[in-house]
Structures are given as structure tokens and as C-alpha cells.
Amino acid sequence: MPSKELVSTSSRLSSERSIAQGLWYWGPVAIYAGVIFYFSSLSFMPEQVSSLVEELSDKFLHFCEYAVLGALMYRACRHAGGPRLSRSALTWAIAVSVLYGFSDELHQYFVPLREADGLDLVADAFGAAFGAWSWHLVARP
């Protein structure tokens, strides 16, 4: 029978691995969501972003921005969300990304010189679905 000390050390190492795994998968989601929030908080976009918006459609940029979030969210849900979340990772990744897009549009409503736009949310939703599906297809075993 294993000693108490061995069992305690084993469970501590397992717990540390779980925390490290959670940070590995959920950390990029949190950081990227923070970047989105930061840029949404700006009343004026940096010159580089403004010129990019003029060249490309604002909706295309929303699509791309949320495609990355959808992919990161799928990756985290699939690998670090536990067995229940993992089974429906695609659905959860898209739903949570769209919900974040909604909260982002709501946030922009209160930022001076910015506005909430329902079509931006539509672009966010399509981007999130594209990103999550793409990661799902690429990461298949």
C-alpha cells in the first residue's frame, strides 16, 4: 500500500499539471480577449489600424478577429474543459465567442466616438464559427 506521503505528492503533481494545462489552453483565450477589449476601449484607432480599415472592410476585420478567438476558444474547450465540455467543444466555442462579441458591442456603445453595430456582431459570429470549425477540422485525430 502506498504511503500517505507518496499519495500526497502524486495528487499535488497531478494538480500542478492540471493548472499548467489550464494556463496553456485558457491563457491565450484570456490574453486575446483582453486585446480585443483594449482596442474596443479606444475612441480613436491607431493610424495603422485606421488605414487597414480603409483598405479592407470593417466587417472583414471583425470576421478575422473573431475567427482567431473562435479557434482559441475551441482549442481550450476541447483540451482543457473537462470531459463534458470537450464533447461539445465546437458548440461552446462558438456560443461563448459570440457572447463575447455581443458584450464587446455593448461595451463599445459606452465608449466615446464608438458605436455598437449589429452587423459587426454578425461578422463576429461568422468569424467565430469559421475559426472554431477550422481548428476542429485541422486538429482531428
Side-chain angles (χ1 to χ4, degrees):
M1 181 171 221
S3 70
K4 279 185 171 179
E5 187 177 299
L6 183 59
V7 170
S8 174
T9 302
S10 175
S11 68
R12 184 177 51 80
L13 289 174
S14 176
S15 177
E16 288 174 1
R17 266 192 297 259
S18 294
I19 291 170
Q21 182 183 21
L23 288 174
W24 176 256
Y25 289 108
W26 290 106
V29 174
I31 291 168
Y32 193 72
V35 168
I36 291 172
F37 183 85
Y38 170 75
F39 280 106
S40 293
S41 299
L42 300 177
S43 292
F44 295 101
M45 284 289 135
E47 183 62 36
Q48 298 85 350
V49 176
S50 294
S51 63
L52 188 61
V53 169
E54 287 176 15
E55 283 185 40
L56 302 171
S57 167
D58 168 57
K59 305 310 177 240
F60 180 70
L61 294 176
H62 274 267
F63 178 90
C64 293
E65 178 181 17
Y66 277 81
V68 173
L69 182 63
L72 291 173
M73 189 69 72
Y74 174 79
R75 176 182 170 265
C77 289
R78 177 73 178 93
H79 299 290
R84 193 170 176 191
L85 186 60
S86 179
R87 282 191 300 274
S88 53
L90 190 59
T91 302
W92 278 105
I94 295 168
V96 172
S97 297
V98 171
L99 186 61
Y100 190 77
F102 175 78
S103 72
D104 184 47
E105 291 304 316
L106 185 63
H107 167 238
Q108 286 182 44
Y109 179 79
F110 296 101
V111 175
L113 304 176
R114 298 293 297 267
E115 60 185 32
D117 183 353
L119 291 178
D120 285 350
L121 182 58
V122 171
D124 297 345
F126 278 104
F130 177 81
W133 267 104
S134 296
W135 196 281
H136 171 74
L137 293 174
V138 169
R140 278 184 142 162

